[in-house]
Amino acid sequence: MCGIAGWLDWERDLTRESGTVRRMADTLARRGPDDSGVWTATRIGLGHRRLAVIDPELGRQPMTERGGDDGRELAVVSFSGEIHNYRELRTELTARGHRFRTASDTEVLLAAHREWGPRAIERFAGMFAYALWDIAEQTLYLGRDPLGVKPLYYAEHPSGLVFGSEPKALFASGLIRPEVDAEGLTDVFTVAAKRPGDAVYRGVRQLLPGHLLTVRRGATTARRYWQLTTAPHEDDEATTVATVRSLLDRIVGEQTVADVPLGALLSGGIDSSAITAIGARALAADARGPLATYSVDFAGSEEDFQADALHVSRDAPYVRAVVDHVGTKHSEVLVEPASLLAESGVTLRARDYPGVGDLDVSLYLLFREVRRHLTVALSGEGADDAFGGYPWFASEAERPSGGFPWSAGVKDRNAVLSPELRGHLDLHERLEARYREALDEVPYLDGESGVDRRMREVYYLQHTRFLPFLLDRKDRMSMANGLEVRVPFCDHRLVEYVWNVPWRLKRLGGSEKGLLRAAVEDALPAEVVHRPKSGFPVGQSPEYLESVRTAVSDMIESDGPAMRLLDAGTLRAMVRDQAWVNGTFTPPPILPRALQLDDWLTAYDVRVVL
C-alpha cells in the first residue's frame, strides 16, 4: 500500500535536503517495508516507502516519466494505494500510443496524467493518494481517492508545504510541530464527528476525499472531482438487486489482482461473507484458489461473551458455516486479553493521536497475524454505511434524533473534561455546530420529504463523518503491519449507485441491508444471509477490564499530563462503578482512551493551545 512524503519549497534548494525527505519517508517504514526511495529537485523532494504488491521488480518509486528525443524527465510521482481499473486504462493508453516498461499501476498513473492532464484522476477507480510533480509546469498535484480510503495530510509553511501519508511524516520535516487546540480536542474526545479535512493537529489538514490539490508558485487551489450526486432512482427491485450484484462481481474481481499472496477477512456477517464468496469465485475462475480467510476472536470468549446492542452473537459459528459452504482455507486469530492494554501504545503511534482503545488493538493484532501469511486482504468495510446496516438507521427512520445518529442518547459529554478545559470547550455545543454544518452539505432530491429526506441525511452523515473514521482506523492498523486491506464496498461506482436507492429498497424484506442480502443470497448459506448485524468483537474479559481500571487509577494518582484535561472525580467513579463499559459504540469506553491521551501528550510532546 505504501507511504508517501514530500516537501515543496519555493525559496530553498531541496537538492540539499534529501536527508530530510528520507527521514520524513522513513517514519512510514511500517507502511512500506519492502523498499524506499527519494527524488529531489530544486523546489521539491519526494519520498516513498514501498509495499510491493504489483510488479515487485520494476514498480519502484518515486517513479519518473521520460519523453522527447533526449529522454528528459517530464514528471515524477510518489503513489500509495491501488488503481483497480489500471489494466483497462493501460489498454486505452496503449491504443493512444503510450508504451510501458513496467506492469505497475503507478506507471499507468503517469501516462494518464501525460494524456489527460490533471483530469486523469477522474478516470481512476481505486483507493489511492499521490503526489505528482509536473516538471515542465513546475506544479505539484496532490490527489486522493473518491471515498478517502487512503490518507494524505499536508501543512503549509511560509514558503511552501509538506505532506505525507501520516502526520508523523510532517513532524519529521522539522517545519511543523504537534499542537492541538479546542477543535482538535473535540476530535479527540468525540468519535466520528470530524469535519472533512480535520486532522486533530493545528495547522495540519487532510486532503478531502475526491479532491485534487494543485500547488503552483503563488497559488494553491483544490478541485472536487467526485461527489455524491443525487438523482431519481428509476430501476425496479429486480434490476436494482441485479445491478448491485453485477457491480460487486466486477469490483471484487478487479480487487483480487495482486502479484503477492491475497486473502479475505471473514467475520461471518453478510458483508465479509459476500466479499469472501465472490472473491473465492474470482480466484477459482483463474485457477488461483482456494481463497485464504481469517477471523478474530478473544481467548475465553465462549465464557466471557455477553450480547449487547452492537454484538448480538459470536462470530465463530457463522464463520464456520461460510468456510464450509465456500471452501476457503481458514485460520482463526485468538487475541489474549493481556495484549489489549500492552499493545495500546503501538496503535497510538500508528494513528498519531488517541484512538478507540481495544477496538484498535484487536484489529491491529488481527492484521499482525494475517500479515504473516498475506500481503493483501479483502474486507467488508463500508457495506453498513452504503446499505444501512447499523441499528441507528432504522431508529432514525422511525424517530429522528436531531443529531449524529450514532451519538444519540449521550447525556453529558463534558463530564469527563477537567473544570479548566470546560471553560474553553463545550463538546455538546461544538457537535451541534458540526451537525448543522453537515446538514447544510446534503444534496437533497427535489421534493424529498419525510422519511426519505431524513434517510438521505443519515446516509450522507454516514459517508462523510462515520465512514472516514472507520477507514482511518482500518488504514492505520493494517499499514502498521505492512498489510494492504482492500475495501470493495467503498468503490465509488457502487457507492454512487446505492446512494440513490430509496430506503424501502435498501431495506428489502424488512431487514437491515436487505438489498445486499438479496444480491448475494445465492452464494451463501441461509443462516449467514439472515444473520442480524453484529459488530467487531470487543474485549469483555475480567482480566482486561481490571487491568484498565488499575492503569487509570495509577494515572490519576501520578497526575499525568492528561489530568490537566480530564476530571479526576468522573474517572474515579467510572473505575469504581464500571460505568465506562456500556455495551454500545456511543461512545466507545472512555478509560482506555484516557490512557492513550496521557501517552500521546507525553510521547508526541503535544502543546495544548486554548
Side-chain angles (χ1 to χ4, degrees):
M1 188 63 67
C2 308
I4 67 176
W7 176 6
L8 176 68
D9 202 307
W10 299 114
E11 298 178 2
R12 198 178 314 205
D13 182 356
L14 296 188
T15 59
R16 303 175 181 177
E17 298 288 351
S18 60
T20 301
V21 177
R22 186 173 298 279
R23 184 167 65 247
M24 294 171 66
D26 283 349
T27 65
L28 308 171
R30 285 176 174 257
R31 298 184 73 92
D34 297 330
D35 196 11
S36 65
V38 168
W39 183 94
T40 60
T42 305
R43 295 292 170 240
I44 193 167
L46 296 178
H48 192 264
R49 292 292 313 204
R50 188 179 185 215
L51 178 66
V53 173
I54 295 175
D55 196 351
E57 295 299 321
L58 299 178
R60 299 189 67 189
Q61 296 187 48
M63 183 179 288
T64 58
E65 181 187 24
R66 298 179 181 274
D69 295 335
D70 57 358
R72 68 187 182 281
E73 292 181 336
L74 302 176
V76 60
V77 70
S78 185
F79 171 73
S80 169
E82 306 289 344
I83 298 173
H84 297 310
N85 65 334
Y86 80 99
R87 289 180 167 179
E88 174 186 327
L89 292 172
R90 181 188 175 105
T91 299
E92 181 177 356
L93 288 163
T94 299
R96 289 173 175 265
H98 293 265
R99 296 294 176 262
F100 295 89
R101 65 184 187 277
T102 78
S104 71
D105 53 348
T106 306
E107 190 180 14
V108 170
L109 190 162
L110 282 168
H113 178 81
R114 186 177 181 186
E115 180 69 29
W116 298 301
R119 302 199 77 90
I121 195 171
E122 300 169 17
R123 295 173 174 263
F124 302 155
M127 51 180 196
F128 54 81
Y130 66 82
L132 186 149
W133 176 247
D134 190 305
I135 296 171
E137 294 183 357
Q138 292 289 282
T139 300
L140 173 66
Y141 296 99
L142 299 179
R144 194 173 180 209
D145 67 74
L147 273 293
V149 180
K150 289 292 101 186
L152 184 52
Y153 294 83
Y154 68 97
E156 296 184 87
H157 59 84
S159 55
L161 80 165
V162 289
F163 53 89
S165 297
E166 297 172 8
K168 58 173 65 72
L170 280 59
F171 300 144
S173 72
L175 298 169
I176 308 295
R177 68 152 296 166
E179 294 181 339
V180 63
D181 56 17
E183 288 294 342
L185 288 175
T186 301
D187 295 336
V188 170
F189 284 109
T190 60
V191 172
K194 280 185 187 176
R195 296 174 302 186
D198 278 1
V200 176
Y201 292 102
R202 194 165 76 143
V204 178
R205 301 290 296 162
Q206 277 208 71
L207 182 60
L208 293 171
H211 278 68
L212 182 73
L213 191 74
T214 301
V215 188
R216 298 184 176 92
R217 186 163 196 152
T220 298
T221 58
R223 179 176 68 87
R224 188 172 192 169
Y225 70 86
W226 182 87
Q227 60 186 323
L228 291 167
T229 302
T230 301
H233 182 76
E234 299 179 346
D235 291 344
D236 60 18
E237 177 181 316
T239 302
T240 301
V241 171
T243 301
V244 168
R245 178 55 179 270
S246 176
L247 283 166
L248 282 173
D249 286 345
R250 176 185 178 183
I251 291 164
V252 175
E254 289 176 349
Q255 296 195 23
T256 60
V257 175
D259 295 329
V260 292
L262 173 143
L265 307 174
L266 178 61
S267 70
I270 189 67
D271 312 339
S272 64
S273 299
I275 298 302
T276 294
I278 297 172
R281 288 186 179 185
L283 289 185
D286 292 337
R288 292 186 291 146
L291 179 69
T293 52
Y294 291 82
S295 62
V296 64
D297 203 356
F298 288 90
S301 67
E302 297 92 339
E303 295 78 28
D304 297 333
F305 177 81
Q306 297 181 25
D308 58 40
L310 279 182
H311 304 89
V312 300
S313 57
R314 291 184 63 239
D315 288 345
Y318 298 94
V319 168
R320 177 47 54 190
V322 175
V323 170
D324 291 343
H325 187 86
V326 176
T328 71
K329 182 180 179 182
H330 186 71
S331 300
E332 182 182 61
V333 177
L334 279 180
V335 175
E336 294 295 334
S339 300
L340 290 175
L341 197 56
E343 302 289 351
S344 178
V346 176
T347 63
L348 168 67
R349 286 153 185 80
R351 276 189 182 267
D352 287 331
Y353 49 80
V356 284
D358 61 89
L359 290 171
D360 281 350
V361 178
S362 57
L363 192 64
Y364 169 82
L365 293 173
L366 167 63
F367 289 153
R368 186 173 70 182
E369 178 60 30
V370 171
R371 182 62 176 93
R372 291 177 180 151
H373 311 279
L374 304 177
T375 306
V376 178
L378 303 176
S379 167
E381 200 80 87
D384 286 312
D385 309 271
F387 292 93
Y390 293 106
W392 52 76
F393 280 90
S395 298
E396 291 292 325
E398 296 175 5
R399 294 178 302 278
S401 64
F404 290 116
W406 47 90
S407 296
V410 179
K411 294 182 174 60
D412 187 359
R413 297 182 180 278
N414 296 323
V416 73
L417 306 183
S418 68
E420 178 186 358
L421 184 54
R422 279 180 234 166
H424 299 276
L425 177 60
D426 183 332
L427 292 174
H428 292 280
E429 182 180 277
R430 289 184 183 268
L431 257 66
E432 174 61 26
R434 292 184 178 194
Y435 175 69
R436 291 194 301 268
E437 289 174 8
L439 288 190
D440 287 342
E441 303 166 8
V442 178
Y444 297 104
L445 187 66
D446 288 345
E448 207 163 36
S449 62
V451 171
D452 287 335
R453 183 179 177 87
R454 179 52 183 167
M455 296 314 292
R456 179 78 66 184
E457 294 173 347
V458 172
Y459 278 99
Y460 186 84
L461 296 171
Q462 195 75 26
H463 278 98
T464 61
R465 269 65 178 179
F466 196 85
L467 181 59
F469 155 74
L470 294 177
L471 293 176
D472 280 351
R473 172 175 173 256
K474 180 83 72 179
D475 174 82
R476 302 310 187 279
M477 298 308 112
S478 61
M479 296 311 298
N481 290 290
L483 176 70
E484 176 175 302
V485 175
R486 297 177 178 176
V487 281
F489 286 112
C490 294
D491 186 289
H492 75 277
R493 295 165 295 184
L494 176 66
V495 169
E496 64 190 12
Y497 179 78
V498 178
W499 163 251
N500 285 309
V501 175
W503 171 242
R504 62 177 179 80
L505 283 181
K506 287 174 180 167
R507 201 169 168 77
L508 278 179
S511 66
E512 89 273 354
K513 293 181 288 190
L515 173 57
L516 175 60
R517 297 176 193 278
V520 299
E521 62 181 349
D522 66 304
L524 294 168
E527 63 265 37
V528 173
V529 171
H530 301 294
R531 182 192 182 192
K533 165 72 179 175
S534 194
F536 190 85
V538 297
Q540 295 179 318
S541 80
E543 178 186 355
Y544 167 64
L545 301 181
E546 182 58 32
S547 68
V548 171
R549 286 195 291 269
T550 299
V552 172
S553 296
D554 291 344
M555 181 185 72
I556 296 171
E557 295 307 314
S558 65
D559 196 28
M563 297 314 300
R564 293 191 294 274
L565 304 176
L566 299 171
D567 185 81
T570 299
L571 293 183
R572 287 193 182 99
M574 288 182 172
V575 168
R576 180 181 64 250
D577 302 332
Q578 298 190 43
W580 58 284
V581 185
N582 62 8
T584 71
F585 187 82
T586 52
I590 186 62
L591 295 190
R593 296 163 62 206
L595 293 172
Q596 281 202 333
L597 175 65
D598 196 64
D599 187 7
W600 176 59
L601 292 170
T602 301
Y604 283 73
D605 190 24
V606 178
R607 179 171 174 252
V608 179
V609 181
L610 296 174

